[in-house]
Amino acid sequence: MSYNADPERYQQIPYNRCGNSGVKLPAISFGLWNNFGDEDPLSNQRQMLMKAFDLGITHFDLANNYGPPPGAAEANFGRILKQDLAAYRDEMIISTKAGYKMWDGPYGDWGSKKYLVSSLDQSLQRMGLDYVDIFYHHRPDPETPLEETMAALDLIVRQGKALYVGISNYSAEQTKKAAAILKEQGTPFIIHQVAYSMLDRTIETGLTDVLEKNEIGCIAYVPLAQGLLTNKYLNGIPKDSRAAKEFIPFLNEHDISSDKLQTIKALNEIAAGRGQSLAQMALVWVLQQKSVVSALIGASRVSQIEENIKALDNPSFTEDELAAIDTILK
């Protein structure tokens, strides 16, 4: 049966202007970092993507190495796009990235022009696209001159393979330098994707000031701190959770101290007083930060997307709530 998008989808979610550009991003965007590999059921992937779009999520975020194996998320997204969502391509912002290892040898990693141009060509082929809306450099390269990396982003736009460019995981000083180069080139640099959550506020120590001064939007990834800012860990570490699995590199049991668990419980009490889950409060909290235009979520099932969207039913905080949250976090 062919897919027909919900005609009320654009009444479900607010859209925020991304930096000094004509692009508006949904307050919540959907990322395919996890659960879109070859071992994940394609039927579930399809259901999540269609539900997200029905709820007004127009921005889908990928990278060349998302899987597993690397490239699988883009290939699976491409299959679903062709089968179910092709008619809505012009209503979507599709982004991808390159910067981490994608293939063996000296040209499959980091930030050379050779790697970035080649990687995007492969990404477009996997997704069945002529262009992406946003192409990111995924992480700074300590060895390649920044001028070369930024020139590669400029070339990609001039080739028509991306409409806009962004960077990810750059420090405030690196972002400042990149912005100056891209401005001189006339490259449409509109967005920075960076980790930001109640439990990781690093961007507040300089990066948001740089972004605001240069009129660059920010999209926050891992706003739920790899699941810590959900109800999953309120009573300790479940045996079937990501944190209990030794092979998960980004969240392990030794990362979760008793103090952190107490912090999570205290935050949950404030969320309950707002009539929200902890996850819902955590999502709208990152949107309070200057320059943050969208919170990037992942999901393993449709119900998680539906719960996250409901966070936007109560997006504002009182001064007392913000003060109480700051006290807990400090």
Side-chain angles (χ1 to χ4, degrees):
M1 185 171 66
S2 61
Y3 167 69
N4 293 303
D6 188 334
E8 303 296 321
R9 61 192 177 278
Y10 294 121
Q11 281 69 56
Q12 308 294 318
I13 190 171
Y15 299 86
N16 302 316
R17 189 165 300 280
C18 188
N20 183 25
S21 76
V23 172
K24 290 184 177 181
L25 293 183
I28 292 178
S29 299
F30 190 59
L32 284 70
W33 183 10
N34 296 302
N35 305 307
F36 282 83
D38 283 347
E39 295 182 358
D40 301 296
L42 195 65
S43 59
N44 188 52
Q45 297 179 40
R46 178 178 289 112
Q47 289 170 9
M48 289 195 291
L49 289 172
M50 292 190 293
K51 174 55 70 174
F53 192 64
D54 279 342
L55 291 172
I57 296 177
T58 54
H59 177 211
F60 298 95
D61 180 78
L62 300 103
N64 60 350
N65 63 331
Y66 291 175
E74 289 179 329
N76 289 329
F77 178 78
R79 292 186 188 101
I80 296 167
L81 182 67
K82 181 179 180 180
Q83 179 174 328
D84 301 294
L85 294 166
Y88 303 99
R89 168 63 181 101
D90 293 336
E91 298 180 43
M92 297 178 182
I93 297 291
I94 299 172
S95 62
T96 196
K97 317 175 197 72
Y100 286 90
K101 183 176 180 179
M102 188 60 192
W103 61 85
D104 291 335
Y107 318 121
D109 201 351
W110 292 106
S112 71
K113 183 180 287 188
K114 167 68 174 175
Y115 170 51
L116 295 181
V117 173
S118 299
S119 178
L120 181 53
D121 283 345
Q122 293 179 21
S123 292
L124 292 174
Q125 186 175 14
R126 281 190 290 268
M127 291 187 284
L129 295 173
D130 295 323
Y131 69 95
V132 290
D133 298 283
I134 302 170
F135 181 67
Y136 294 89
H137 185 222
H138 209 162
R139 61 171 173 172
D141 182 345
E143 296 184 349
T144 299
L146 189 60
E147 290 79 6
E148 177 179 340
T149 301
M150 297 303 107
L153 297 182
D154 184 67
L155 174 64
I156 282 165
V157 171
R158 295 183 189 281
Q159 289 177 329
K161 296 174 183 177
L163 302 183
Y164 306 91
V165 302
I167 57 175
S168 183
N169 301 308
Y170 277 56
S171 69
E173 186 61 29
Q174 291 166 332
T175 300
K176 183 178 179 179
K177 292 178 181 178
I181 297 169
L182 291 168
K183 184 177 182 179
E184 183 177 354
Q185 293 175 163
T187 315
F189 174 27
I190 69 168
I191 193 166
H192 189 302
Q193 185 173 138
V194 65
Y196 183 48
S197 72
M198 287 178 164
L199 301 181
D200 181 358
R201 303 176 67 174
T202 307
I203 71 169
E204 296 176 15
T205 59
L207 180 57
T208 52
D209 291 334
V210 172
L211 297 177
E212 188 174 37
K213 183 177 181 179
N214 288 276
E215 299 182 295
I216 299 164
C218 178
I219 181 169
Y221 75 86
V222 292
L224 302 183
Q226 298 286 358
L228 279 177
L229 292 170
T230 68
N231 62 5
K232 183 178 294 183
Y233 298 98
L234 292 175
N235 297 309
I237 303 174
K239 292 182 180 180
D240 62 347
S241 68
R242 294 183 68 193
K245 299 176 181 178
E246 294 183 358
F247 62 87
I248 298 293
F250 301 104
L251 180 65
N252 284 286
E253 189 169 352
H254 66 266
D255 297 323
I256 306 175
S257 64
S258 59
D259 286 345
K260 187 166 289 186
L261 291 174
Q262 289 302 314
T263 295
I264 293 166
K265 290 178 181 179
L267 291 171
N268 185 62
E269 291 181 7
I270 296 178
R274 290 169 47 82
Q276 291 182 315
S277 68
L278 176 56
Q280 289 169 339
M281 184 179 77
L283 286 173
V284 290
W285 183 87
V286 301
L287 293 170
Q288 303 297 306
Q289 176 59 254
K290 59 186 178 182
S291 298
V292 175
V293 297
S294 187
L296 183 61
I297 65 166
S300 60
R301 55 186 181 275
V302 164
S303 61
Q304 292 175 335
I305 303 172
E306 293 172 322
E307 181 195 356
N308 288 336
I309 287 292
K310 289 178 182 177
L312 301 171
D313 292 343
N314 185 14
S316 300
F317 290 82
T318 67
E319 290 185 5
D320 287 345
E321 286 173 335
L322 290 174
I325 290 170
D326 277 340
T327 298
I328 293 168
L329 296 178
K330 289 177 181 177

